Amino acid sequence: MRPITMISFRCRCGADSAPPSRASHSWAHVAGLGDFITLVWHASEAGARLAARIGASAGQNVDMPRSQPAVGARHWVSLGDHFAADADAPFWVLYETPEIFYMGFDEPEARLSDLALLQCRIEGFDRTRDAAGVAVATVEAALQVDDLLALTPHRDPVAAGLWGAFQGARNAQVIRQGALLYFEARDDGWGGWALTRHADGVADLLMLADYGNHDSHVWAGRLRIYEGGAWCVERSPDELAAAIEGNGGEDRPGGS
């Protein structure tokens, strides 16, 4: 039997998920898997196998550790839709606390500053069904929001144009927590979210994610998107957030 070199799950339509890449995101420090059900952490093998069997979105049955796995820690994980990684190489994946996983950002305990990316390596992969499996993951590195803010801002008007998807997207929503602003939008089959920081007239894009039927990827770094006026975007994250909030949580281009 040939060894497994790539772990991924095939959609019913026959398409495979693809691993993330920094190729089209030169500003990003890392590229990772970005869906909350792509890789879920568990406190036990039993919890991981249960989640893989019934689906991780059945939150009450997910045996999640109460805190972020530490560098060097080994945990059972369940793998599902959109997972794609080299079986023998480390990869990055979005980490969400149990509060974010269960409640989104609607509760005070769910903090944007707790979003992180973890670099992992998995072993002992066991495919439990066509679109799910379990494994043991070791955390090799972590990137917190504060680590991204410590990076030197990347200045590239072309890269900053990626933010433009949120400038005109319909059905946009925003969450404010201090200087951090989280945007999520869907438009014509596209879905994505962004984490920005806006303070003292300067705004940086820290995380950018997009998702579809087969892939869910996130890029993280520190991209300067607004500075001392407009620089390269039509309106700052703060101005866009105000427009969305003033329109009942949704921003419709051209609307009032």
Side-chain angles (χ1 to χ4, degrees):
M1 181 181 295
R2 291 184 300 174
I4 297 174
T5 58
M6 175 67 67
I7 298 173
S8 64
F9 302 106
R10 178 163 293 183
C11 176
R12 293 176 183 175
C13 73
D16 286 313
S17 295
S21 169
R22 292 178 56 232
S24 60
H25 295 265
S26 60
W27 65 276
H29 191 63
V30 301
L33 301 166
D35 192 304
F36 76 95
I37 60 172
T38 295
L39 182 152
V40 180
W41 300 88
H42 301 281
S44 67
E45 179 182 359
R49 291 191 178 279
L50 175 62
R53 186 169 71 249
I54 66 174
S57 57
Q60 69 273 19
N61 295 312
V62 177
D63 178 26
M64 296 181 70
R66 299 308 302 174
S67 58
Q68 177 178 314
V71 174
R74 298 174 77 248
H75 281 274
W76 280 92
V77 295
S78 58
L79 311 175
D81 291 344
H82 302 156
F83 185 89
D86 190 316
D88 300 316
F91 60 91
W92 289 90
V93 62
L94 178 71
Y95 173 77
E96 297 177 323
T97 63
E99 290 78 15
I100 298 172
F101 186 94
Y102 292 130
M103 301 178 292
F105 295 106
D106 294 331
E107 299 294 332
E109 296 84 359
R111 298 188 296 266
L112 292 170
S113 58
D114 286 337
L115 286 172
L117 278 95
L118 303 182
Q119 187 182 52
C120 310
R121 189 185 298 267
I122 63 174
E123 58 186 83
F125 170 68
D126 180 13
R127 186 184 295 271
T128 58
R129 55 189 177 92
D130 288 346
V134 299
V136 174
T138 300
V139 181
E140 297 188 347
L143 269 177
Q144 313 295 142
V145 170
D146 284 347
D147 295 324
L148 299 177
L149 289 170
L151 297 173
T152 300
H154 184 88
R155 290 175 168 82
D156 180 350
V158 176
L162 294 167
W163 168 251
F166 291 89
Q167 298 282 331
R170 297 180 180 274
N171 302 316
Q173 297 179 322
V174 63
I175 295 167
R176 289 179 183 261
Q177 291 183 7
L180 294 177
L181 294 169
Y182 173 94
F183 298 88
E184 186 162 8
R186 297 178 300 279
D187 196 9
D188 294 332
W190 168 84
W193 58 264
L195 179 68
T196 70
R197 181 181 184 272
H198 189 124
D200 301 322
V202 174
D204 292 321
L205 177 64
L206 304 178
M207 296 184 189
L208 178 69
D210 62 34
Y211 50 84
N213 293 330
H214 305 121
D215 301 305
S216 181
H217 298 158
V218 60
W219 296 268
R222 188 180 180 189
L223 175 64
R224 182 60 46 87
I225 57 174
Y226 190 87
E227 183 175 36
W231 191 56
C232 63
V233 296
E234 295 178 7
R235 46 185 173 173
S236 72
D238 190 62
E239 292 169 330
L240 178 58
I244 295 171
E245 292 164 337
N247 200 32
E250 296 185 355
D251 186 36
R252 297 181 177 85
S256 58

